[in-house]
């Protein structure tokens, strides 16, 4: 999708659709800040506002309205997308609206769009939101369709963004658009990785994808096989990987700044869960819960998407990404209930449920990442069903005891339009992981399951500032919504990119 930015009169531009985002009180004539809307309405002899009102379009944040212009405007159709109340506006509202607009445009077979950027406080964030909303909203996973590929929709491929009246295009805007485009590409790629069935997205293929990406954007990458994992004494990872005929893979990506001083800075390390299929192992999942378990590598997909953008951001500090990829399968080779595994860190773990596999692999990978002495360590994992019960399908659970890093991550998420909610790692629940025969067990009681998982991970990160993001809920969208379709969301990419971008900006501000 190609984006350009102009200062012009949107109602004079030619395209298949003219997209006008409107606040609820833009429709009540007098208070309207939407000049383009009023101009379009005038050219349409008042029919735009009149029919919109008749059809019940009130500019609410979930509403969309399409009208043919019958030659009264250069654009064949006007698409109104509601932004709701101005007082409740955030860039995410605009991102969701842009997603609805591109879907509506596709349904009427539009290939080109002109979009009026609304008058809002922070223009840069609005530009990002429009580009991301359009780019993410146009996503479809169609690799396995041989028929009805596009559901009768067209794909918008040219989008012209029109600045609010009186604003001039600046050079800095190009960088904003360029970053947003990178984020779209990386997020949609992450969605592809997650949507791909587990039968084809094996640990080997996932590592191969990481390698191709690293080559494309110029990141270092090292890939290890089972032998390497044995050498590194990752007994928990090996235990989980044992049950599958698919070979596990260990992946380490890195961005190292060319500047020698910058390269010496303490790195940011990102770890992603990469269970390419989670059957539960011998503690087999029922079919209904197993159905979606190709999604259990969404954490690593988010890390990969973020690293792809970070390679372009070129922050003045190193950033490392890690994952241990394997399948969790039942078989004659599988790890058993009651087995004791020895982690890379030396701690021993009694297996009380083979379906609590993510924390085992992550524990080994986290302690490996921690050997790079990170200034910040972040993991993303589709870790617990309990987190979905606690926060639902749209929020990420954020765990960690370093308040500063937690604050930075929450801020980054809020800015990027990904919602996170802090949950506690309370010591009150520590007994949940006590084992009779080993240092700990891998699964506790059901109560506070997401906390138990975080408590387990905490054993492997020492004193390092660390935030654990449980993305089991938001890794998939249960329905069409804004720029989401049903399926993988690529959650985490935007938060990670924003976190690294802010850290880089902060450092540069203090250096200069
Ligand atoms: N991958 C699952 C968690 C999950 C559930 C992700 C639903 C996405 C959607 C994880 O490995 C798991 O099975 N967790 C168990 C832990 C329990 C056995 C302690 C769970 O949440 O039930
Ligand atoms: Mn599991
Ligand atoms: Zn899992």
């Amino acid at each position: 999708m190609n984006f350009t930015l102009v200062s012009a009169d949107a109602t004079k531009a030619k395209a298949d659709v003219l997209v006008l985002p409107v606040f609820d009180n833009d429709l009540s004539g007098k208070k309207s800040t939407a000049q383009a809307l009023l101009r379009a309405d005038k050219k349409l002899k008042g029919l735009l506002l009149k029919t919109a009102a008749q059809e019940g379009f009130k500019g609410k944040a979930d509403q969309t309205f399409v009208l043919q212009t019958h030659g009264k405007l250069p654009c064949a159709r006007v698409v109104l997308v509601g932004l709701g109340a101005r007082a409740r506006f955030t860039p995410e509202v605009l991102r969701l609206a842009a997603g609805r607009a591109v879907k509506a445009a596709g349904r009427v077979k539009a290939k080109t769009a002109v979009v009026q950027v609304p008058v809002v406080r922070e223009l840069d964030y609005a530009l990002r939101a429009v580009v991301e909303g359009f780019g993410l909203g146009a996503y479809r996973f169609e690799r396995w369709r041989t028929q009805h590929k596009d559901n009768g929709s067209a794909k918008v491929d040219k989008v012209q963004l029109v600045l609010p009246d009186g604003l001039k295009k600046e050079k800095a805007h190009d960088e904003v658009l360029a970053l947003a485009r990178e984020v779209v590409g990386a997020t949609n790629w992450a969605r592809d990785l997650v949507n791909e069935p587990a039968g084809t997205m094996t640990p080997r293929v996932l590592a191969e994808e990481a390698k191709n990406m690293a080559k494309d954007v110029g990141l270092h990458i090292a890939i290890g096989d089972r032998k390497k994992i044995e050498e590194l004494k990752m007994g928990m990872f090996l235990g989980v990987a044992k049950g599958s005929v698919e070979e596990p893979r260990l992946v380490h990506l890195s961005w190292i700044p060319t500047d020698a001083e910058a390269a010496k800075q303490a790195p940011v390390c990102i770890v992603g869960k990469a269970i390419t299929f989670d059957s539960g192992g011998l503690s087999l999942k029922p079919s209904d819960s197993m159905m979606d378990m190709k999604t259990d590598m969404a954490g690593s997909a988010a890390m990969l998407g973020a690293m792809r953008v970070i390679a372009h951001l070129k922050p003045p500090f190193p950033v490392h990404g890690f994952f241990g990829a394997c399948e969790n399968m039942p078989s004659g080779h599988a790890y058993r209930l009651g087995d004791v595994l020895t982690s890379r860190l030396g701690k021993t773990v009694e297996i009380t449920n083979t379906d609590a596999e993510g924390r085992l692999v992550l524990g080994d990978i986290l302690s490996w990442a921690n050997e790079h002495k990170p200034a910040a360590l972040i993991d993303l994992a589709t870790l617990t069903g309990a987190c979905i019960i606690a926060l639902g399908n749209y929020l990420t659970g954020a765990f960690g005891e370093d308040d500063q890093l937690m604050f930075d991550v929450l801020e980054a998420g809020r800015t990027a339009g990904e919602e996170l909610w802090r949950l506690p790692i309370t010591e009150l629940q520590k007994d949940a992981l006590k084992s009779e025969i080993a240092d700990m067990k891998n699964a506790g009681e059901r109560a506070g399951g997401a906390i138990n998982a975080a408590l387990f991970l905490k054993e492997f990160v020492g004193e390092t500032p660390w935030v654990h993001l449980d993305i089991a809920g938001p890794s998939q969208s249960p329905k069409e919504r804004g720029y989401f379709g049903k399926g993988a969301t690529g959650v985490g990419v935007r938060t990670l990119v924003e976190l690294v971008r802010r850290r880089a900006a902060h450092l540069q501000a203090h250096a200069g």
Side-chain angles (χ1 to χ4, degrees):
M1 201 179 280
N2 179 285
F3 293 93
T4 51
L5 180 66
V6 295
S7 29
D9 179 350
T11 63
K12 288 187 180 148
K14 192 172 160 52
D16 296 333
V17 292
L18 168 62
V19 176
L20 301 174
V22 292
F23 289 103
D24 54 6
N25 62 9
D26 285 339
L27 294 166
S28 58
K30 262 197 298 205
K31 283 188 227 137
S32 186
T33 52
Q35 298 305 325
L37 174 71
L38 300 180
R39 284 197 296 270
D41 187 53
K42 207 166 163 196
K43 289 184 183 173
L44 284 158
K45 309 255 183 301
L47 280 176
L48 179 56
L49 288 176
K50 191 173 158 192
T51 32
Q54 281 170 350
E55 296 296 317
F57 180 84
K58 295 193 171 80
K60 288 192 187 152
D62 56 356
Q63 288 187 308
T64 308
F65 172 71
V66 183
L67 186 75
Q68 297 207 16
T69 61
H70 299 282
K72 301 279 191 294
L73 285 177
C75 288
R77 286 180 174 86
V78 178
V79 177
L80 301 184
V81 278
L83 297 174
R86 187 175 272 281
R88 307 179 86 189
F89 179 79
T90 63
E92 177 64 1
V93 169
L94 181 55
R95 193 179 283 105
L96 290 164
R100 292 200 311 281
V102 77
K103 285 177 188 171
R107 280 193 291 271
V108 297
K109 303 230 190 305
K111 303 209 113 180
T112 58
V114 171
V115 190
Q116 175 65 56
V117 178
V119 181
V120 291
R121 221 173 289 132
E122 289 171 303
L123 179 65
D124 283 3
Y125 290 107
L127 294 177
R128 269 164 79 175
V130 171
V131 171
E132 290 173 3
F134 262 79
L136 296 173
Y139 174 84
R140 290 194 286 258
F141 183 67
E142 294 182 320
R143 193 163 114 73
W144 294 93
R145 274 197 202 285
T146 64
Q147 295 171 334
H148 314 296
K149 250 204 181 311
D150 46 17
N151 252 330
S153 289
K155 223 168 188 175
V156 174
D157 56 18
K158 261 203 187 118
V159 182
Q160 195 173 57
L161 278 65
V162 177
L163 285 165
D165 287 7
L167 290 183
K168 284 267 159 303
K169 196 188 150 185
E170 290 164 27
K171 225 177 143 226
H173 294 150
D174 286 330
E175 276 164 51
V176 173
L177 295 192
L179 176 61
R181 259 196 311 259
E182 289 293 338
V183 166
V184 166
T187 308
N188 286 342
W189 175 56
R191 288 161 103 178
D192 275 344
L193 297 178
V194 176
N195 280 328
E196 186 64 30
T200 35
M201 190 48 63
T202 59
R204 233 163 359 99
V205 171
L206 186 60
E208 206 53 38
E209 287 278 347
K211 188 169 148 193
N212 292 338
M213 180 276 283
K215 277 199 176 148
D216 279 354
V217 301
L219 294 172
H220 301 273
I221 183 163
I223 300 181
D225 56 7
R226 197 185 297 268
K227 220 178 101 229
K228 175 79 183 172
I229 304 165
E230 278 164 9
E231 271 167 35
L232 290 171
K233 297 194 162 57
M234 295 180 169
M236 298 195 295
F237 183 9
L238 283 168
V240 176
K242 253 171 62 166
S244 173
V245 293
E246 292 292 339
E247 285 296 308
R249 284 290 183 268
L250 184 64
V251 173
H252 174 193
L253 282 148
S254 40
W255 154 253
I256 309 287
T258 39
D259 179 77
E261 227 13 73
K264 270 190 269 170
Q265 299 287 316
V268 169
C269 289
I270 308 169
V271 172
K273 176 171 172 179
I275 302 297
T276 59
F277 186 66
D278 181 10
S279 71
L282 289 174
S283 310
L284 197 66
K285 284 182 187 294
S287 290
D288 282 353
S289 354
M290 203 189 296
M291 188 57 225
D292 282 337
M293 281 305 132
K294 66 177 184 183
T295 199
D296 217 13
M297 36 60 74
S300 62
M303 178 279 280
L304 288 171
M307 289 302 287
R308 179 171 139 168
V309 182
I310 287 164
H312 291 273
L313 277 178
K314 304 191 189 305
F317 48 83
V319 183
H320 297 276
F322 304 87
F323 66 79
C326 68
E327 280 189 330
N328 185 25
M329 292 296 239
S331 77
H333 296 288
Y335 73 139
R336 307 161 192 81
L337 288 98
D339 276 358
V340 173
L341 305 179
T342 303
S343 62
R344 171 161 175 79
L345 203 60
K347 292 184 189 181
T348 58
V349 180
E350 181 189 10
I351 303 306
T352 54
N353 190 324
T354 62
D355 199 11
E357 85 297 337
R359 63 195 74 181
L360 296 169
V361 180
L362 285 170
D364 274 338
I365 306 293
L366 278 169
S367 52
W368 190 44
N370 206 21
E371 290 159 27
H372 290 77
K373 303 210 185 326
L377 176 57
I378 294 150
D379 78 77
L380 299 95
T382 45
L383 204 59
T384 66
C387 199
I388 310 181
I389 301 300
L391 297 179
N393 279 113
Y394 305 102
L395 270 65
T396 293
F399 299 82
E401 286 165 332
D402 187 285
D403 288 344
Q404 183 60 55
L405 182 61
M406 177 60 70
F407 178 80
D408 290 348
V409 172
L410 294 177
E411 268 300 294
R414 181 166 307 140
T415 311
E418 295 187 320
E419 256 186 274
L420 293 83
W421 199 264
R422 189 177 189 174
L423 293 170
I425 312 189
T426 174
E427 293 288 324
L428 288 170
Q429 237 164 260
K430 220 168 164 196
D431 284 355
L433 298 175
K434 272 214 171 110
S435 161
E436 294 293 326
I437 67 162
D439 297 341
M440 52 184 170
K441 59 182 184 184
N442 74 326
E445 55 195 90
R446 270 162 58 93
I451 298 173
N452 293 340
L455 274 167
F456 185 93
L457 296 181
K458 190 185 152 185
E459 295 294 319
F460 299 92
V461 298
E463 299 299 309
T464 304
W466 160 68
V467 167
H468 155 57
L469 300 177
D470 195 328
I471 58 167
S475 64
Q476 282 197 297
S477 178
K479 57 168 200 237
E480 284 251 3
R481 185 177 74 94
Y483 49 84
F484 291 128
K486 201 169 158 4
T489 58
V491 71
V493 174
R494 292 195 332 254
T495 298
L496 290 170
V497 167
E498 187 60 16
L499 182 77
V500 168
R501 194 187 72 82
R502 285 169 163 248
R503 247 183 131 79
H506 187 81
L507 273 183
Q508 265 139 13
H510 283 256

